[in-house]
Amino acid sequence: MPRIAYFGPQGTFTEQAARALADPREHELLPLDTIPAVVAAVRSGEVAAGCVPVENSVEGAVPATMDALALGEPVVAVAEHVLPVHFSVLVRPGTEAAQIQTVASHPHGLAQVRGWLEANLPKATAIAVNSTAGAARAVHAGEYDAAVSAPVAVEHYPLHELATGVADVADAVTRFLLVTRPGALPAPTGADRTSLVAVAVNRTGALSGLLHELALREINLTRLEARPTKDRFGEYRFFLDVEGHLAEQRIADALAALHRRCLEVRFLGSYPRTDGTQTQVAAPTRDEDFAAATDWVAAVRRGERA
Amino acid sequence: MPRIAYFGPQGTFTEQAARALADPREHELLPLDTIPAVVAAVRSGEVAAGCVPVENSVEGAVPATMDALALGEPVVAVAEHVLPVHFSVLVRPGTEAAQIQTVASHPHGLAQVRGWLEANLPKATAIAVNSTAGAARAVHAGEYDAAVSAPVAVEHYPLHELATGVADVADAVTRFLLVTRPGALPAPTGADRTSLVAVAVNRTGALSGLLHELALREINLTRLEARPTKDRFGEYRFFLDVEGHLAEQRIADALAALHRRCLEVRFLGSYPRTDGTQTQVAAPTRDEDFAAATDWVAAVRRGERA
């Protein structure tokens, strides 16, 4: 049975996303300790695919995923999943709110429920641990009084939900990617997204030129993330998400232009959008427009047209 | 004596930056609890200026500062300061490393020394508190065994440095801004930076057009940060830093173009760069080139030239 690795442990939001992206009859889920470990297991072939968080609507990009995808042997996304970030506050059965002295979670979890904690558990000490599920496990073990965790954590630990749907920003969401080794691309659906990493030459107008190549082909940008390289302050690697699939000629044409223009371009995948929003494509950037233009130039070169 | 507020409490990196930006004979420093409180005190006139962190070379932008500068009554930066992020691990005098069971810091502090903690204090529990200095204060009060703090914290709390210069990424730096209410701009130095916020209309090529306006005027971008609006996933506000001063015509001309082109543009200040790097300006974007062009058009309009 092919395995899908995810950034674990069991009981995190990433497990919830991996469950949504996997086929339960076909895949076995394997929690791994870190995001780099998930991507490394994909690269080595130890697993068929890996599920990692890529961005959060409140906190922004997930640096460990950005770094893991941008560097090392290529991996590509074949699917995405968008999950609302609603936490549950879990306690051992019988624990009353007034008894809670310690609340554990991942630092990002603590940051995203800070208002709720101040209003509801103002006297509790916030303990930073490595994952939201690790917090649940530690509460089960009696180390802390409460955990701020993904709802799925109660399926792994016999804890009681003191509160659910906890989030300072009600409509916070996290986007996850399912990545594999490069291979046949998922079939275009008409509602696709393509992800890229580009390192632009460090000169005035370089990023403008890069984005202009997309705009000239009417390609809509859905995300632009500038991640500082760790080497020099002020130097960035750009993560771009655009509407469309590499099977479309306007996307292929733009990628070829970026390959000419950038120090480095890496294809991170073309895959269906969770929200199903259809890409609007009109003249002059439909496949038939590109085909007609290529045919015309070829005919001119042969001396048959002018 | 005019007061400069900073994101406190006393003993944080922001206090170190505020000390560097203030004139000790002219200014009194005032720690405030949150970044929005610092900016609000500047807006109300309660203080002459405020010092806030704006970006870190490892963690990226500081969301609270981005939001505070982009929304509400305008404030502008008049100076910047770049500080290396080297932490000190502080303990009560007499505490041995082997006795340390709890280590407290701000969540970002814990994230930036995680490797060091795993190597040197593997058994200690990481406690997330609201600031690095709050961690030092809590250690002084006996609540925790060690604090990961800014070096300046030892000037406020009688603690011992178990280790200094602690940082997983050796050359991590944080950039701070000194903001005031709008008024006369700092004089141009030839090594200036201008900061902007722009909200582009949500259509294909909007960001490309915005950056193209800068590139056409040979304006170099030193930072581009896309901060999601909290309202809708996929909608962004762009924070731009460029080389140059609004007193230069190419910057003024570009800002006027952005004002026409964007839903919203906010000037966040023109101020000297800490690193003193001179901006290189050549034909055709020197002030004299713009002046000659404007004169020519005016003369043509008057029927004197063609």
Side-chain angles (χ1 to χ4, degrees):
Chain A
M1 187 179 256
R3 295 191 298 176
I4 294 182
Y6 65 92
F7 172 39
Q10 287 187 325
T12 61
F13 285 104
T14 314
E15 184 194 350
Q16 282 192 215
R19 285 183 180 209
L21 288 163
D23 181 333
R25 292 160 306 183
E26 279 191 23
H27 298 113
E28 183 187 338
L29 294 179
L30 175 71
L32 293 177
D33 280 348
T34 66
I35 289 171
V38 170
V39 177
V42 173
R43 287 193 173 112
S44 72
E46 191 193 332
V47 298
C51 179
V52 289
V54 64
E55 64 172 327
N56 178 283
S57 59
V58 177
E59 300 272 323
V62 179
T65 297
M66 305 286 89
D67 290 344
L69 298 183
L71 305 171
E73 284 297 299
V75 294
V76 295
V78 294
E80 69 170 12
H81 187 69
V82 175
L83 202 64
V85 182
H86 289 172
F87 292 91
S88 293
V89 179
L90 304 180
V91 295
R92 288 180 298 281
T95 304
E96 305 275 332
Q99 301 171 302
I100 295 172
Q101 297 189 330
T102 50
V103 180
S105 192
H106 186 273
H108 283 179
L110 294 171
Q112 291 196 25
V113 301
R114 185 170 156 175
W116 189 92
L117 290 177
E118 284 178 2
N120 293 277
L121 298 173
K123 292 177 184 166
T125 300
I127 311 283
V129 296
N130 282 344
S131 75
T132 56
R137 192 178 46 221
V139 169
H140 177 53
E143 292 176 46
Y144 310 117
D145 300 326
V148 175
S149 298
V152 74
V154 294
E155 302 196 18
H156 299 287
Y157 305 101
L159 296 172
H160 169 71
E161 279 182 348
L162 186 74
T164 56
V166 173
D168 290 354
V169 178
D171 52 0
V173 294
T174 299
R175 193 161 71 96
F176 297 84
L177 293 177
L178 187 69
V179 299
T180 66
R181 280 179 291 170
L185 305 186
T189 65
D192 303 295
R193 204 189 304 279
T194 294
S195 296
L196 302 173
V197 187
V199 179
V201 293
N202 188 13
R203 69 160 181 254
T204 302
L207 178 60
S208 168
L210 190 165
L211 296 184
H212 200 52
E213 296 282 9
L214 302 178
L216 287 171
R217 293 166 180 87
E218 308 281 346
I219 295 169
N220 196 29
L221 198 61
T222 59
R223 175 169 173 245
L224 173 64
E225 198 77 47
R227 171 106 184 109
T229 65
K230 287 192 175 171
D231 309 327
R232 280 181 54 187
F233 203 47
E235 276 201 2
Y236 292 90
R237 182 175 277 119
F238 298 102
F239 290 82
L240 306 152
D241 284 354
V242 301
E243 291 180 349
H245 191 290
L246 184 59
E248 296 170 60
Q249 194 52 40
R250 63 202 181 88
I251 302 291
D253 203 54
L255 258 68
L258 296 189
H259 189 86
R260 276 191 286 110
R261 183 180 275 277
C262 297
L263 288 176
E264 188 187 323
V265 185
R266 179 176 281 206
F267 174 69
L268 292 183
S270 289
Y271 47 86
R273 297 173 63 150
T274 303
D275 62 13
T277 305
Q278 295 282 314
T279 305
Q280 303 300 320
V281 185
T285 62
R286 298 166 303 178
D287 279 4
E288 55 263 45
D289 301 319
F290 278 97
T294 304
D295 289 350
W296 176 73
V297 171
V300 173
R301 279 190 162 176
R302 289 193 305 267
E304 296 167 7
R305 295 182 61 184
Chain B
M1 186 180 259
R3 295 191 297 177
I4 294 181
Y6 65 92
F7 171 39
Q10 289 186 323
T12 61
F13 285 104
T14 314
E15 185 194 350
Q16 282 193 215
R19 287 183 179 209
L21 288 163
D23 181 335
R25 293 159 307 183
E26 280 192 21
H27 298 113
E28 183 187 338
L29 294 180
L30 175 70
L32 293 177
D33 281 348
T34 65
I35 288 170
V38 170
V39 177
V42 173
R43 287 192 173 111
S44 72
E46 191 193 332
V47 296
C51 179
V52 289
V54 64
E55 63 172 328
N56 176 284
S57 59
V58 179
E59 299 272 323
V62 180
T65 297
M66 304 287 89
D67 290 344
L69 298 182
L71 305 170
E73 285 296 301
V75 293
V76 295
V78 294
E80 68 169 13
H81 188 69
V82 175
L83 201 64
V85 182
H86 290 172
F87 292 92
S88 292
V89 179
L90 304 179
V91 295
R92 288 181 298 282
T95 303
E96 306 276 331
Q99 301 171 303
I100 296 173
Q101 298 189 328
T102 51
V103 180
S105 191
H106 185 275
H108 283 181
L110 293 172
Q112 291 195 26
V113 301
R114 187 169 155 175
W116 189 92
L117 290 178
E118 284 178 2
N120 294 278
L121 299 172
K123 291 178 183 166
T125 300
I127 310 281
V129 296
N130 283 342
S131 74
T132 56
R137 191 176 48 221
V139 168
H140 177 52
E143 292 175 47
Y144 310 117
D145 300 326
V148 175
S149 297
V152 75
V154 293
E155 301 197 18
H156 299 288
Y157 305 101
L159 296 172
H160 169 71
E161 280 182 348
L162 185 73
T164 55
V166 173
D168 290 354
V169 179
D171 53 359
V173 295
T174 301
R175 194 162 69 97
F176 298 85
L177 293 176
L178 187 70
V179 300
T180 67
R181 280 178 292 171
L185 305 186
T189 65
D192 304 295
R193 205 189 303 278
T194 294
S195 296
L196 303 172
V197 188
V199 180
V201 293
N202 187 13
R203 72 161 178 253
T204 301
L207 178 61
S208 169
L210 190 165
L211 296 183
H212 200 52
E213 295 283 8
L214 302 177
L216 286 172
R217 293 166 181 87
E218 307 282 346
I219 296 169
N220 196 29
L221 197 62
T222 59
R223 176 173 173 241
L224 172 64
E225 198 77 47
R227 171 102 182 113
T229 65
K230 288 193 176 173
D231 308 328
R232 281 180 55 187
F233 201 49
E235 276 199 4
Y236 292 89
R237 181 175 277 116
F238 298 101
F239 290 81
L240 305 153
D241 284 353
V242 301
E243 291 180 350
H245 192 290
L246 185 58
E248 295 169 60
Q249 195 53 39
R250 63 202 181 90
I251 303 290
D253 203 55
L255 259 68
L258 297 189
H259 189 85
R260 278 190 284 110
R261 184 181 275 277
C262 297
L263 289 175
E264 192 188 322
V265 184
R266 178 176 282 206
F267 174 69
L268 292 183
S270 289
Y271 47 87
R273 296 172 65 149
T274 304
D275 62 14
T277 305
Q278 296 282 314
T279 305
Q280 302 301 322
V281 185
T285 61
R286 298 165 304 177
D287 280 3
E288 55 264 45
D289 301 318
F290 278 97
T294 304
D295 289 349
W296 176 73
V297 171
V300 173
R301 277 190 164 174
R302 288 192 307 267
E304 295 167 7
R305 293 182 64 184

